[in-house]
Amino acid sequence: EVQLVESGGGLVQPGGSLRLSCAASGFTFRSYEMNWVRQAPGKGLEWVSYISGGGETVYYADSVKGRFTISRDNAKNSVYLQMNSLRAEDTAVYYCARVLTQRMDVWGKGTTVTVSS
Amino acid sequence: DIQMTQSPSTLSASVGDRVTITCRASQSISSWLAWYQQKPGKAPKLLIYKASSLESGVPSRFSGSGSGTEFTLTISSLQPDDFATYYCQQYNSFWTFGQGTKVDIK
């Protein structure tokens, strides 16, 4: 079964850091690009970051550029999101999603990040 | 940046109704558009890609159309499982979602 499982969310103070992980199974992970997408409470979906299959190419939304870093370890079938200098507006459920010909065809269940003092 | 605008924001309908949701892009995105369904507390689910291609396993009552800047998602006969929020998403240049359309019970 194709599956993505996020972890690493939690409560963090403003200015703090958090590292999210997404573990993939059921498909050849290295062959797929991956995205992180977030959803603030009661709000819509916002794309956050992209990484190519080999990890050479990464992109970020303007709202997180310079603060978040995406990476992957194909030996561990995992993609990561390092989040620094967190702000209240980063509070959201964070989803990882598999990218297939640019569309997001498989999603994890999400992990919740709360930035609050 | 490409902006996506959906209408309506909320739609009240009954089981069996034909439902249409519209999505407009701020510039041409060819057919690089997807539709997702999301239920409360759940991850989004891909329904339609490349504007009109049905994702595997998705019921045929869902259909998509359009190209350029105007797109529609149609549910031919609304079923109880279809009450949810629907998002369009462009993937012509990075990824941008519409603000969502909530389909609720009339």
Side-chain angles (χ1 to χ4, degrees), chain B residues 21 23 33 35 48 51-53 63-67 70-74:
Chain B
I21 299 169
C23 179
L33 184 102
W35 290 95
I48 302 284
S52 61
S53 295
S63 63
S65 65
S67 65
E70 297 277 339
F71 303 87
T72 59
L73 173 70
T74 300

Side-chain angles (χ1 to χ4, degrees), chain B residues 47-66:
Chain B
L47 300 175
I48 302 284
Y49 63 95
K50 210 173 179 184
S52 61
S53 295
L54 193 67
E55 176 72 351
S56 176
V58 174
S60 58
R61 62 180 179 272
F62 291 93
S63 63
S65 65

